[in-house]
Amino acid sequence: MMAIRELKVCLLGDTGVGKSSIVCRFVQDHFDHNISPTIGASFMTKTVPCGNELHKFLIWDTAGQERFHSLAPMYYRGSAAAVIVYDITKQDSFHTLKKWVKELKEHGPENIVMAIAGNKCDLSDIREVPMKDAKEYAESIGAIVVETSAKNAINIEELFQGISRQIPPLETHENGNSGTIKLGKQTAQTTRRCC
Amino acid sequence: MSIAEVATSLLRTEETFSAYLARINNVILQPLLQSGSFENSDLFLLLNNHFQVLWGLTEENCRTLKEAFSASESVSVQDVYLVWKADLFLDRYIQYFSTFATCAVLQGFEHAAKNKSEVWKSHKPALQQFLADFSLDASIAVALHTVLHKPFRDQLQQYSLIFSKLEGAAGQCPESEAIADATQKFAKLLSFVSQVLDEACLTRSLWKSLGHKFTDVLCIAERRLLEDSRNLTVYASTGRSDRVLLFNDILVLIQGSNFRSLDLKLVWVDVAERDVGKYALRIAAPEEEFFLLAKDLKARAVWQWKLNQAVRQALNGKRDFPLWSRDGDGSDPPHCRHFSFTFRAEGRLKNAVYDGEWCLGRPHGKGTLTWPDGRNYVGDFKEGLAHGFGIYLVPCVSEDHYDCYKCHWQEGKMSGYGICEYGNETVYKGYFKDDMRQGFGILEKASSTKHSFKYTGHWENDKRSGYGIWDDKERAERYIGMWHEDQRHGAGIVVTQSGACYQGTFHSDTMVGSGTLLLEDDSVYEGNFTADLTFVGKGKLTFPNGFTLEGTFSNRSSQGLHTQGILNTSGEQQDEHMAKLQLGQKEFPVEMRWEGLLNQFLEYIRLGCQGDMEEAFTGFHVQTSKELRKSQEYLFCQRENEEVPGKVDVLEDIIAHQEEETLQSYLERAFQNSLHPLGKLLKALTLAFQATYSTIGANKHLLNMAQEEVKHYAQKIWEVYLGFLHLASERKGQAYAEDLENSGLNGPSAVLPLILPSFYPDLFMLYMLYHEKEDDLYCQGIVDLSQETDVKLLEFLDVRKHFWPLKDLTLTKHQRRSLVKDRCFLSATDCLRNLITTVDPQEKLDILQKTYDEIAKTISRLLGEEFNPSMDDLLPLLMYVVTRARIQRLGAELHLIRDLMDPTTSGGMYDFLLTALESCYALIQKEIQYHQSWHASQDS
């Protein structure tokens, strides 16, 4: 018996940076047939083992267009983690990323795990955002960072493994780690037994 | 001996007997009747009548038999009239001897002997001569007695002899059965006669031995002594009783010079417990219970048998024939009897008349109890007390008014469900305990009267106490909150007709201290104010624009509102939260709100849903008596549209439908059936909910209270259901349905959509009020965007060009693609419009999912490949569909779904779908400005 924890993960980033491609790549091999394919890449789930738990990622895509930015809080509400995606070939997208981080810090759920994904690393010859900048920035805000290629399946698994590792195990909540109340509440409701 | 010879001997005895009767007539009866009146002379008149009839009968039969002889030589059984006319003979003899016995009991012969009239005196010598032939006794009275009965008995003996001869003569013939039958009847008649004479003799000597004090009251013509404690010893356990006399109609206990008599029709006899005495009989009668103690088993058995026989014969209204028989109808009297009785003993029932069914000396079954002061109870009794359903009328001081209680009773007290129509035009419908209103109930004064009101809530010791809703119809106000001893006491909310409402603390019916006043324009005042909503004293007023005014307020008549304070115009206080402030959730935790109502049901289950309790509890009554049914009313039942209730055993039924597949339809049926406890519970909760949130209670500040209440109902109803199931399993000796608990079925979530229709109209109204402003903005946005053609709208919403389903369109000659409206994504828009056709949040979510499916289908057809959209693509498409679907009150809809959807699916697909729709709704509210600037940029 392993406990399944449902973790809501929210995808943020400019339109065109490949948010949904990353998710598609991540869940591609283990497509969850329970989910209606018609929502497509907008909402996907995948379950991965982590320690003695199973993490079921409920991945929520968001619209990247500027006009929809104000709606983002409705989507990241209750998220355990946020994957913020930029395109290493577009400096602008990294700029947008910083704005998302700032917003999450201010309005996002407490103790949300943030993971930065520099996508399209297969196109590093036309790179605009240096790896170093991203790493430094991620460090400054305490976020996970990886450069990924959805196209070539580089670092995708690692990205989500990194998130899994950052999620505090259940025991911690029970010991009264007050910093994870939101997450704890979420998971307490959705923890089920699996055979 | 041949039949002819038998007939000859019959003729001979009859002739002798007839001659003898003629002499009695001449020598005794006629002179006696002519001698004028003496004490009890009318009895002789009656005796003479019976005598004449008997004589006539004998004469006539003699004659017919003679004719038969003269007509032919062969006489057959047919001619022996005794066989065919046995019943007639029996009847005549019984009449004669009954009258004779009465004569004997009342000492008629003694009176006759002492007759002083001249006629009689002159006749005496002849009489004495005649009597000497029959009796050696010198006393005329004794002789008369003998002469008037002995020959008749002798004649009956003769008949018996003739019958035995006849039986021998006839042998086996078709008539032998009739002969045997008649023989038996005459044998019975013989023993009847001797019993009657014995009884008469005993009774006569009793009357003679008892003093006048007793005989004056007790001695009546038809009364016979059946048993006497002097004859067969018993003692009565009540005080020092000297003598016990059993008569054919009463049981008498003599105590010194006093006596008590009990009507046998209301006497019950059975063997008493051993601890009372070794050989004791328990005698039960109205207002009376005592024991008869016998010396031995046999004596007790005789008394018990005689008592029971006497009671039964008294109830039958006639004596047995013969009076006592071992074989005949020796059965015991029925336990339940119908009788009218007036209570005499001091106490509650003094001088009350009870007319109805009795058992063991107490009203038991159906009956009517009427007091001299006009009070009156009609209904069920058990062991002397009102128990079951009954109607109790109590006249009020003023004439023509009654308090009418239509109630269930338990051991004499109102208990369980009842309706009470008070003389002062108020009506209570609810629960009682120990004669007091207790638990949940509604008290209403009709709106056509002065000071009309309605209270829906909890009661304790006959008073409003606990959580309750009070409508003051004159002030058009509703109080929602705590009560104590009929007064508003504790936390409370007052909602007014205008839409303003306030929350505060009440003490002895008035608000004390400061409170929060929410005005209809969304200003909020925190501080002191009066019941007329006038600010008085310290307070802080926050305007809708965020300005605040803090200070001391006063209100002098004619001068308006005065204040000294600080006006803060920084607008810092502006907060959505203020305008939508929710009341009552903390003050009235949802678990305690209708606790008393719910507990009533849980308690009912705990006590095992007993049959008679079921009626008392659920407030319906399956009546056989029409009279009661007419006055029956139901609280939670609408009788007019009620299906003919196939009353089923709830527990049986529940067991049969516990499987997950049949559960839903079972629950659905249960909820619709107002006779089912679950249906009853739902009706009661609906009443409570409406009392709180409909009409005046439709206030946006009560939304959270209302929605959490509905969810709580689902939870509790499920608990009640499980309780029933548990009980039913126990009854059946089955293991508790653990399957159900392990199946992963979320009970409350399954119940919620089934009960939601009952609350939906009022609940949705609250959502509409709560979202009034947003829905207005959204509506404006929809109207604005609706003007756009399909192409323009797709363009405005940034839907990617290759998703424009224009090649789908079949256009007429006069239409141009760029100008058509409402033609794209029709399947998806039609689907989304169905959102308002259901109340079930899950069904609404399913509709939502289908809408996405329809969008995807349209695009897939367009692209010729599977559509796997990211949100970048999906959201604009969804915006388009939502805009075109033009659903009214979408904000209210979304909020309702959000509140009532299964909380365990949080974070899942349905949550996502709903969030996407919510984001569209939010966007459309803002779209109007964006749209206008977009137009401006397009135009330039």
Side-chain angles (χ1 to χ4, degrees), chain B residues 650-661:
Chain B
V650 172
L651 296 181
E652 283 287 332
D653 205 29
I654 210 164
I655 271 278
H657 295 96
Q658 55 176 318
E659 300 301 324
E660 214 176 317
E661 303 78 53

PDB file of all heavy atoms in Angstrom, chain B residues 650-661:
ATOM      1  N   VAL B 650     -40.294   0.187   6.205  1.00  0.00           N
ATOM      2  CA  VAL B 650     -39.118   0.965   5.847  1.00  0.00           C
ATOM      3  C   VAL B 650     -37.850   0.127   5.934  1.00  0.00           C
ATOM      4  O   VAL B 650     -36.998   0.159   5.051  1.00  0.00           O
ATOM      5  CB  VAL B 650     -39.005   2.188   6.774  1.00  0.00           C
ATOM      6  CG1 VAL B 650     -37.684   2.896   6.552  1.00  0.00           C
ATOM      7  CG2 VAL B 650     -40.155   3.135   6.520  1.00  0.00           C
ATOM      8  N   LEU B 651     -37.758  -0.637   6.978  1.00  0.00           N
ATOM      9  CA  LEU B 651     -36.527  -1.383   7.195  1.00  0.00           C
ATOM     10  C   LEU B 651     -36.365  -2.507   6.173  1.00  0.00           C
ATOM     11  O   LEU B 651     -35.283  -2.735   5.653  1.00  0.00           O
ATOM     12  CB  LEU B 651     -36.498  -1.944   8.618  1.00  0.00           C
ATOM     13  CG  LEU B 651     -36.461  -0.869   9.711  1.00  0.00           C
ATOM     14  CD1 LEU B 651     -36.408  -1.512  11.080  1.00  0.00           C
ATOM     15  CD2 LEU B 651     -35.284   0.068   9.532  1.00  0.00           C
ATOM     16  N   GLU B 652     -37.470  -3.177   5.869  1.00  0.00           N
ATOM     17  CA  GLU B 652     -37.424  -4.227   4.856  1.00  0.00           C
ATOM     18  C   GLU B 652     -36.946  -3.643   3.530  1.00  0.00           C
ATOM     19  O   GLU B 652     -36.109  -4.208   2.837  1.00  0.00           O
ATOM     20  CB  GLU B 652     -38.825  -4.831   4.653  1.00  0.00           C
ATOM     21  CG  GLU B 652     -39.258  -5.786   5.734  1.00  0.00           C
ATOM     22  CD  GLU B 652     -38.522  -7.124   5.653  1.00  0.00           C
ATOM     23  OE1 GLU B 652     -38.116  -7.510   4.544  1.00  0.00           O
ATOM     24  OE2 GLU B 652     -38.352  -7.744   6.716  1.00  0.00           O
ATOM     25  N   ASP B 653     -37.537  -2.531   3.227  1.00  0.00           N
ATOM     26  CA  ASP B 653     -37.304  -1.894   1.946  1.00  0.00           C
ATOM     27  C   ASP B 653     -35.859  -1.419   1.817  1.00  0.00           C
ATOM     28  O   ASP B 653     -35.229  -1.544   0.773  1.00  0.00           O
ATOM     29  CB  ASP B 653     -38.262  -0.697   1.827  1.00  0.00           C
ATOM     30  CG  ASP B 653     -38.530  -0.349   0.383  1.00  0.00           C
ATOM     31  OD1 ASP B 653     -38.464  -1.264  -0.448  1.00  0.00           O
ATOM     32  OD2 ASP B 653     -38.788   0.833   0.118  1.00  0.00           O
ATOM     33  N   ILE B 654     -35.354  -0.903   2.898  1.00  0.00           N
ATOM     34  CA  ILE B 654     -34.030  -0.298   2.862  1.00  0.00           C
ATOM     35  C   ILE B 654     -32.976  -1.383   2.634  1.00  0.00           C
ATOM     36  O   ILE B 654     -32.005  -1.207   1.913  1.00  0.00           O
ATOM     37  CB  ILE B 654     -33.772   0.491   4.177  1.00  0.00           C
ATOM     38  CG1 ILE B 654     -32.843   1.662   3.907  1.00  0.00           C
ATOM     39  CG2 ILE B 654     -33.206  -0.385   5.282  1.00  0.00           C
ATOM     40  CD1 ILE B 654     -32.850   2.692   5.025  1.00  0.00           C
ATOM     41  N   ILE B 655     -33.230  -2.542   3.208  1.00  0.00           N
ATOM     42  CA  ILE B 655     -32.299  -3.670   3.065  1.00  0.00           C
ATOM     43  C   ILE B 655     -32.255  -4.131   1.612  1.00  0.00           C
ATOM     44  O   ILE B 655     -31.215  -4.460   1.075  1.00  0.00           O
ATOM     45  CB  ILE B 655     -32.774  -4.824   3.997  1.00  0.00           C
ATOM     46  CG1 ILE B 655     -32.153  -4.657   5.371  1.00  0.00           C
ATOM     47  CG2 ILE B 655     -32.490  -6.173   3.422  1.00  0.00           C
ATOM     48  CD1 ILE B 655     -30.773  -5.160   5.537  1.00  0.00           C
ATOM     49  N   ALA B 656     -33.430  -4.089   0.997  1.00  0.00           N
ATOM     50  CA  ALA B 656     -33.519  -4.606  -0.366  1.00  0.00           C
ATOM     51  C   ALA B 656     -32.844  -3.694  -1.383  1.00  0.00           C
ATOM     52  O   ALA B 656     -32.563  -4.088  -2.505  1.00  0.00           O
ATOM     53  CB  ALA B 656     -34.985  -4.815  -0.723  1.00  0.00           C
ATOM     54  N   HIS B 657     -32.609  -2.461  -0.973  1.00  0.00           N
ATOM     55  CA  HIS B 657     -32.086  -1.500  -1.956  1.00  0.00           C
ATOM     56  C   HIS B 657     -30.773  -0.881  -1.551  1.00  0.00           C
ATOM     57  O   HIS B 657     -30.479   0.261  -1.842  1.00  0.00           O
ATOM     58  CB  HIS B 657     -33.103  -0.382  -2.182  1.00  0.00           C
ATOM     59  CG  HIS B 657     -34.362  -0.855  -2.794  1.00  0.00           C
ATOM     60  ND1 HIS B 657     -35.475  -1.155  -2.034  1.00  0.00           N
ATOM     61  CD2 HIS B 657     -34.691  -1.120  -4.072  1.00  0.00           C
ATOM     62  CE1 HIS B 657     -36.431  -1.566  -2.840  1.00  0.00           C
ATOM     63  NE2 HIS B 657     -35.986  -1.556  -4.076  1.00  0.00           N
ATOM     64  N   GLN B 658     -29.949  -1.658  -0.847  1.00  0.00           N
ATOM     65  CA  GLN B 658     -28.724  -1.040  -0.379  1.00  0.00           C
ATOM     66  C   GLN B 658     -27.603  -1.104  -1.407  1.00  0.00           C
ATOM     67  O   GLN B 658     -26.570  -0.481  -1.224  1.00  0.00           O
ATOM     68  CB  GLN B 658     -28.288  -1.702   0.926  1.00  0.00           C
ATOM     69  CG  GLN B 658     -28.150  -3.207   0.795  1.00  0.00           C
ATOM     70  CD  GLN B 658     -27.618  -3.809   2.062  1.00  0.00           C
ATOM     71  OE1 GLN B 658     -26.718  -3.258   2.668  1.00  0.00           O
ATOM     72  NE2 GLN B 658     -28.181  -4.918   2.478  1.00  0.00           N
ATOM     73  N   GLU B 659     -27.816  -1.890  -2.467  1.00  0.00           N
ATOM     74  CA  GLU B 659     -26.770  -1.959  -3.483  1.00  0.00           C
ATOM     75  C   GLU B 659     -26.615  -0.600  -4.142  1.00  0.00           C
ATOM     76  O   GLU B 659     -27.580   0.130  -4.314  1.00  0.00           O
ATOM     77  CB  GLU B 659     -27.132  -3.008  -4.534  1.00  0.00           C
ATOM     78  CG  GLU B 659     -27.295  -4.410  -3.967  1.00  0.00           C
ATOM     79  CD  GLU B 659     -26.033  -4.914  -3.282  1.00  0.00           C
ATOM     80  OE1 GLU B 659     -24.922  -4.600  -3.768  1.00  0.00           O
ATOM     81  OE2 GLU B 659     -26.154  -5.587  -2.244  1.00  0.00           O
ATOM     82  N   GLU B 660     -25.404  -0.343  -4.528  1.00  0.00           N
ATOM     83  CA  GLU B 660     -25.104   0.979  -5.057  1.00  0.00           C
ATOM     84  C   GLU B 660     -25.987   1.323  -6.258  1.00  0.00           C
ATOM     85  O   GLU B 660     -26.403   2.456  -6.425  1.00  0.00           O
ATOM     86  CB  GLU B 660     -23.627   1.034  -5.442  1.00  0.00           C
ATOM     87  CG  GLU B 660     -23.021   2.396  -5.228  1.00  0.00           C
ATOM     88  CD  GLU B 660     -21.539   2.420  -5.527  1.00  0.00           C
ATOM     89  OE1 GLU B 660     -20.847   1.476  -5.115  1.00  0.00           O
ATOM     90  OE2 GLU B 660     -21.103   3.374  -6.174  1.00  0.00           O
ATOM     91  N   GLU B 661     -26.312   0.288  -7.062  1.00  0.00           N
ATOM     92  CA  GLU B 661     -27.041   0.560  -8.316  1.00  0.00           C
ATOM     93  C   GLU B 661     -28.463   1.007  -8.014  1.00  0.00           C
ATOM     94  O   GLU B 661     -29.027   1.840  -8.711  1.00  0.00           O
ATOM     95  CB  GLU B 661     -27.092  -0.690  -9.211  1.00  0.00           C
ATOM     96  CG  GLU B 661     -25.742  -1.282  -9.588  1.00  0.00           C
ATOM     97  CD  GLU B 661     -25.118  -2.109  -8.475  1.00  0.00           C
ATOM     98  OE1 GLU B 661     -25.786  -3.017  -7.960  1.00  0.00           O
ATOM     99  OE2 GLU B 661     -23.960  -1.815  -8.107  1.00  0.00           O
TER     100      GLU B 661
END
